[in-house]
Amino acid sequence: MVLKVEEYKYYIFGAHSRAQTAAVYIQYLYPDAVLEAYLVNNNEQNEEEIKGVPVIRLNRSKELHCDYPVVLGTRSSYHAVIKQELQDLGMQRIYPMDVELDLKLRNAYLRRYFSSVGRQFAKICDINTLGKSSDQDASKTHTCIYVAKSVFDKPLQQELRLANYEKIIQVGAALTEKRLEDHGIIDSAGQNISDRNKQYCELTGLYWIWKHAREDIIGLVHYRRHFLLPADWEERVKRYGIDVILPVPLYVAPSVEGNYRKRHISGDWDLMLDYIKQNEPSSYHNAKKVFAGNLYCPCNMFIMKREILDALCAWMFPIIESVAAQQGTRTDVYQNRYPGFLSERLMTLFFEMNREQYKVVYADKNFLS
């Protein structure tokens, strides 16, 4: 979706994190556009206004402007129903915030934002391979991107086609006798934390990779989420001395810390910060600064050199294990996954603290339904 310059007013359907993120992207990119209201259609307890913008329930308002564009800032599974409801009210210019639109707005926002703070928003797909080669011998470099998958995962509606550099790693293998592949990679072999998978999610796979994988370049993705990489991405990594590929950052409001506290259990966050403050006091200021910002790299996805993976895991796992030892497990299946939620933010912090040391670029990701 592109808001035309002459279209100064629009609505966003939704009032939670997705909708507020969409508002930030649009308002930053199109400063002349005016968000008239957030629209909702449920009985959830929504705020009356968000940063001065009113939140309006559809069935309580009869004064909506049907000619204004409406951006759907909710989960895509709700879009069809919402679109029909809006059309019944006479609204026709409806723009679902789908994967394509999210990528377009997010990337445009990040390019402009990074430039405003004197940084380069470098993406692997934009790097031209016709440049000076590094001294690295391509024939001696081994690469593997591990794809975390569990027997407990929901089946895909789309066919999962692995690239030649991807391998399935069965996570949570210690919790079942079923195997995804005969003689496949399982996270319960050797030194492992496989039995914690219901809480640690893909981190049980990451732990196994840390302890056992020996490739030169190592990645981790999810059976539903894969990086969108150019065909020659490995050549680009070698030619330009790229150390790390991370998913394109996500904007969250009101901040990385505030967003976590709103969506999860604040006590987990407090213990994480306490650990950093007590054990790495020199990093505590950086942590507060990064977490007061709005950007983090989601999904525990990456591609990086093995020695950097070693450094990341050696730093991150003691923090997570300390918090988990104090907080234990929870009956709420979603909130029980807090080690994985914390690691997304910690991974972001690690690479922000080491920004001058590692050459980091970004890549978009897909989502298989």
Side-chain angles (χ1 to χ4, degrees):
M1 182 202 72
V2 176
L3 287 175
K4 296 181 181 179
V5 175
E6 63 269 21
E7 293 174 349
Y8 292 107
K9 296 184 179 181
Y10 66 100
Y11 296 117
I12 288 183
F13 193 98
H16 296 308
S17 180
R18 291 170 188 259
Q20 293 180 44
T21 295
V24 169
Y25 293 158
I26 295 169
Q27 290 170 2
Y28 194 80
L29 294 170
Y30 307 100
D32 289 335
V34 176
L35 177 56
E36 189 78 355
Y38 292 94
L39 307 179
V40 296
N41 66 346
N42 54 43
N43 294 318
E44 292 182 11
Q45 186 152 5
N46 294 296
E47 300 175 26
E48 292 186 3
E49 63 177 41
I50 300 170
K51 294 185 177 180
V53 178
V55 178
I56 300 174
R57 282 193 61 186
L58 288 184
N59 59 355
R60 291 182 180 178
S61 174
K62 298 180 181 179
E63 300 180 356
L64 296 180
H65 296 270
C66 293
D67 57 327
Y68 287 2
V70 184
V71 178
L72 305 187
T74 66
R75 290 182 180 273
S76 58
S77 57
Y78 303 141
H79 286 178
V81 172
I82 295 170
K83 184 176 182 179
Q84 185 60 58
E85 186 172 0
L86 292 172
Q87 288 175 337
D88 291 343
L89 292 173
M91 296 181 168
Q92 297 298 323
R93 301 166 66 196
I94 301 167
Y95 301 91
M97 190 75 168
D98 55 15
V99 173
E100 182 179 356
L101 179 56
D102 176 72
L103 287 179
K104 183 176 182 179
L105 292 177
R106 188 192 306 193
N107 279 278
Y109 168 84
L110 289 168
R111 284 192 183 93
R112 186 173 296 182
Y113 171 76
F114 271 57
S115 177
S116 73
V117 296
R119 293 176 58 183
Q120 181 184 13
F121 177 58
K123 294 186 67 181
I124 185 69
C125 62
D126 297 330
I127 294 176
N128 190 339
T129 60
L130 300 177
K132 182 180 178 181
S133 298
S134 69
D135 294 331
Q136 189 171 8
D137 186 347
S139 65
K140 296 181 180 179
T141 301
H142 302 284
T143 300
C144 181
I145 297 181
Y146 293 88
V147 182
K149 194 175 189 307
S150 164
V151 299
F152 306 107
D153 289 329
K154 295 180 181 179
L156 289 170
Q157 298 175 11
Q158 299 171 259
E159 182 181 0
L160 174 60
R161 294 185 178 181
L162 297 182
N164 57 10
Y165 47 76
E166 290 184 311
K167 292 180 182 179
I168 294 287
I169 177 170
Q170 180 177 339
V171 295
L175 303 176
T176 177
E177 295 182 356
K178 294 181 180 180
R179 292 294 175 256
L180 295 173
E181 300 176 319
D182 293 336
H183 310 295
I185 302 170
I186 55 176
D187 72 347
S188 58
Q191 187 174 354
N192 71 87
I193 56 171
S194 179
D195 60 350
R196 304 183 204 174
N197 179 256
K198 290 187 181 297
Q199 187 170 38
Y200 277 55
C201 303
E202 63 275 353
L203 293 185
T204 62
L206 174 55
Y207 188 92
W208 186 93
I209 292 167
W210 173 33
K211 296 299 182 180
H212 301 280
R214 289 296 175 261
E215 293 85 5
D216 302 293
I217 299 173
I218 298 174
L220 177 64
V221 296
H222 188 265
Y223 83 110
R224 287 187 182 274
R225 295 183 294 269
H226 298 251
F227 282 114
L228 299 175
L229 299 167
D232 63 343
W233 72 269
E234 293 174 89
E235 174 62 22
R236 299 184 190 209
V237 166
K238 299 162 190 170
R239 185 178 292 270
Y240 287 97
I242 294 169
D243 296 310
V244 183
I245 302 175
L246 295 176
V248 169
L250 173 67
Y251 181 101
V252 291
S255 65
V256 174
E257 178 173 349
N259 181 265
Y260 187 96
R261 291 187 184 278
K262 188 173 184 179
R263 298 181 61 193
H264 305 294
I265 307 300
S266 283
D268 305 334
W269 192 267
D270 292 332
L271 288 173
M272 179 188 72
L273 286 181
D274 285 346
Y275 181 97
I276 295 173
K277 186 175 183 179
Q278 294 173 16
N279 294 275
E280 302 177 35
S282 61
S283 301
Y284 182 71
H285 174 74
N286 286 329
K288 294 295 289 184
K289 181 179 180 180
V290 171
F291 295 148
N294 300 98
L295 299 176
Y296 83 99
C297 295
C299 302
N300 288 319
M301 294 172 59
F302 61 79
I303 301 169
M304 63 183 76
K305 294 179 178 178
R306 179 159 54 90
E307 60 269 25
I308 300 175
L309 174 69
D310 290 342
L312 167 67
C313 291
W315 173 81
M316 184 173 70
F317 271 104
I319 302 174
I320 294 171
E321 290 167 353
S322 174
V323 176
Q326 298 176 77
Q327 296 294 75
T329 59
R330 298 194 172 105
T331 55
D332 184 311
V333 175
Y334 180 69
Q335 295 298 350
N336 190 45
R337 291 160 50 192
Y338 64 88
F341 299 140
L342 290 175
S343 66
E344 293 174 297
R345 283 75 177 177
L346 286 170
M347 198 174 297
T348 299
L349 173 61
F350 179 83
F351 288 109
E352 279 297 309
M353 291 193 303
N354 293 281
R355 193 197 313 161
E356 303 301 322
Q357 184 175 352
Y358 304 133
K359 185 172 183 178
V360 177
V361 300
Y362 300 101
D364 293 315
K365 64 183 186 301
N366 64 3
F367 183 86
L368 301 179
S369 58

